[in-house]
Amino acid sequence: MGISELPVLALIGLGVTVSLYAGKLARRAGLPSLIGYLVTGVLMGASVSGVVSLHALDSTRFVTNIALGFVAFSIGTELSALSLRQLGSSIVLIILFESFMAFLVVFGAVLAVTGGDTAVAMVFAALAPASAPAGTVAVIQEYRARGKLTKALYAVVGFDDGLAILIYGFAAAFARSLVSTQVQGFWESMLLPAREILLSVGLGGVMGVLYTVLSRRLRTSTEIPALTFAFIAMTAGVAVHFHLSLILACMGIGFVLTNSTPRPAVNRIVMQNRNLMPLVFILFFFLAGAHLDVAALPALGLLGMVYILARSSGKITGAWLGGRIGGAEPRIRKYLGMGILSQAGVAIGLSLILAQDFARIGTPQADRIASMVVTTIAATCVVFEVVGPLLAKRALRLAGELGRDSEGD
């Protein structure tokens, strides 16, 4: 029996073990540990060695969802109303500018490289604002970063997911109208993202209230993590089932907790849950790496390179401009854009939804776009998942907010 024929649980155990030591090697090289986790996943995944097959990965999807739920919960616990007020209106402007600037720059760049194909440009622009918070949060927690840039990063990677969904909904609906003669349901399809966001926030709010009430009655170090796991699993499950934003819903639990509970009590809960986070990050990035299709990299091509450069410049420039207009501190407007470039699960998920929608249209142009967007986004996400955390660490180092273990810089 080959290694790939082992039970899924055994493969996960093997992957976590190898990832743990690969992460230590990455740290010795001055890289974030998650790079070691990602590389291990890629090497063991279906696109390289096939130790972890696509069939095995399908049965671990719930593990990834729970891990992402923990990441979102930890973001929420950092978003106290007081800290957001201290950051001021600049955070709102940064989120607006970095999202819309990424959209506009990618639209213009893809429009130029495709010779004026508005539908293709709109499709890629629709996916550009989406970010992956896990990479940024993993770097922040691994190096125990503290400071105003760190707080700003938590806020931006948490809230820009909602705006990205809204932008995607409107832009994708407009792109579909360009390649289809059927305009029926156009406005209804554009209202779906608003519904998704409202229901996600509502779910997170309700679960957050229940979690807060129950957590106040618990004291021991084993009870709080158990309750946290239970609520994240329930919330993630409901969000996935009803096609809501898992990130916004689970973030809502932490947001309600931190804004309705005295800070010492919140810190106690956060510290009791923190011991779970290293395992969460190993699982998440190992499985993320195993999902990454390295075979898609040759398909990157000119369009993929243009998308990477345009999205990066749009995010960085937009964050700087929003910070400048909003009066943010120099270190926030100079370095925040570097910390929000990771892109993975949300973008890939949206690209698959978009491809399915375009495939249903049935025209040659729609079929071509459906195939193009999936392969290109899959390839660019490989790049962003590696480069994004590295730049996040560099941003925190330049801002002087790395807490410890920053050797190699």
Side-chain angles (χ1 to χ4, degrees), residues 183 256 327:
V183 295
V256 171

Side-chain angles (χ1 to χ4, degrees), residues 61 120 122-131 161 164-165 167-169 172 175-176 196 291-293 296 307 343-360 366-382:
R61 194 173 302 277
V120 173
M122 187 63 69
V123 161
F124 281 96
L127 297 169
S131 298
D161 184 61
I165 292 171
I167 294 174
Y168 165 81
R176 284 194 299 270
E196 176 182 337
H291 276 92
L292 291 177
D293 186 6
Y307 176 81
Q343 188 175 50
V346 174
I348 292 174
L350 292 177
S351 71
L352 291 173
I353 294 171
L354 190 146
Q356 291 171 359
D357 290 344
F358 271 66
R360 292 192 192 100
D367 291 341
R368 178 177 62 87
I369 293 175
S371 175
M372 179 190 304
V373 70
V374 172
T375 55
T376 305
I377 294 299
T380 56
C381 281
V382 176

Side-chain angles (χ1 to χ4, degrees), residues 253-314:
I253 302 175
F255 185 81
V256 171
L257 171 70
T258 199
N259 287 285
S260 61
T261 305
R263 194 64 213 179
V266 174
N267 290 338
R268 176 176 62 85
I269 293 173
V270 169
M271 290 304 298
Q272 289 179 0
N273 287 322
R274 182 156 290 174
N275 289 335
L276 291 173
M277 294 309 292
L279 174 60
V280 166
F281 288 128
I282 292 175
L283 282 169
F284 181 85
F285 287 104
F286 166 71
L287 293 173
H291 276 92
L292 291 177
D293 186 6
V294 178
L297 282 175
L300 198 59
L302 177 61
L303 179 60
M305 294 303 298
V306 167
Y307 176 81
I308 290 172
L309 294 174
R311 179 179 179 271
S312 301
S313 60

Side-chain angles (χ1 to χ4, degrees), residues 3 5-17 44 51-52 286:
I3 296 179
E5 297 175 1
L6 289 172
V8 175
L9 279 177
L11 291 174
I12 291 178
L14 176 62
V16 169
T17 302
M44 293 181 63
V51 171
V52 183
F286 166 71

